[in-house]
Amino acid sequence: MARPRPAELPEQKPAFGAKPRPGQRVSVEEIEQTILDVHERFRLRSLAYDPWQSQYLAERLRKANVPTREVNFTAKNLQAMATTLTEAFSERAIELWDDPELLSDLRGLRVVEKQYGWRLEPTRDGSGHGD
């Protein structure tokens, strides 16, 4: 089954995102604002989130009319996420901006076999950080 071609990317990468200073975390408020900005620009159809870490943020986003859906990080879902991402790349159904950090993160993903199947895991940097 052929997938529809994704919408064309804008010429320039949008200036979205929050990056913490070394040794610090990104604030939840910055994450929320980034999601709101992305939704305003691209009209998200759905934002999947991990309820273990993002329940409160998802509640706030729903109040701001961002469509959200809970995705538990179960073995089945982790394998489905890995399959979807690898298929998107192998079928050339994904377009990316030339963003060195994003490309580095994607290149750092590794397929890891588990008892339940397989999943993608990031390689760790010198400080042990992997996402």
Side-chain angles (χ1 to χ4, degrees):
M1 179 167 111
R3 291 187 178 171
R5 180 164 165 72
E8 291 295 317
L9 290 174
E11 288 293 318
Q12 290 187 321
K13 180 184 93 168
F16 296 122
K19 186 173 181 177
R21 291 186 206 105
Q24 294 188 344
R25 295 179 179 200
V26 176
S27 77
V28 174
E29 290 83 12
E30 288 180 77
I31 294 169
E32 179 180 4
Q33 189 57 55
T34 297
I35 294 169
L36 292 171
D37 293 345
V38 167
H39 180 58
E40 183 178 325
R41 178 156 184 190
F42 296 106
R43 289 291 163 224
L44 301 174
R45 283 188 252 168
S46 180
L47 177 74
Y49 70 94
D50 176 3
W52 180 255
Q53 298 195 10
S54 302
Q55 194 70 14
Y56 178 66
L57 176 58
E59 180 182 319
R60 291 179 54 85
L61 292 169
R62 281 191 297 276
K63 287 180 181 177
N65 296 315
V66 176
T68 64
R69 70 182 163 91
E70 185 175 297
V71 176
N72 291 294
F73 278 40
T74 61
K76 179 181 175 184
N77 286 341
L78 289 170
Q79 185 159 342
M81 288 180 229
T83 300
T84 300
L85 184 63
T86 55
E87 285 178 358
F89 277 101
S90 67
E91 295 172 9
R92 300 184 186 278
I94 190 167
E95 293 183 60
L96 302 169
W97 283 281
D98 186 18
D99 182 299
E101 289 181 65
L102 172 62
L103 297 175
S104 175
D105 287 347
L106 289 169
R107 287 183 188 113
L109 290 174
R110 299 292 175 251
V111 175
V112 178
E113 190 170 0
K114 301 288 185 180
Q115 290 177 332
Y116 56 80
W118 58 283
R119 64 182 275 174
L120 295 173
E121 289 186 355
T123 52
R124 303 283 175 188
D125 64 16
S127 66
H129 191 63
D131 59 7

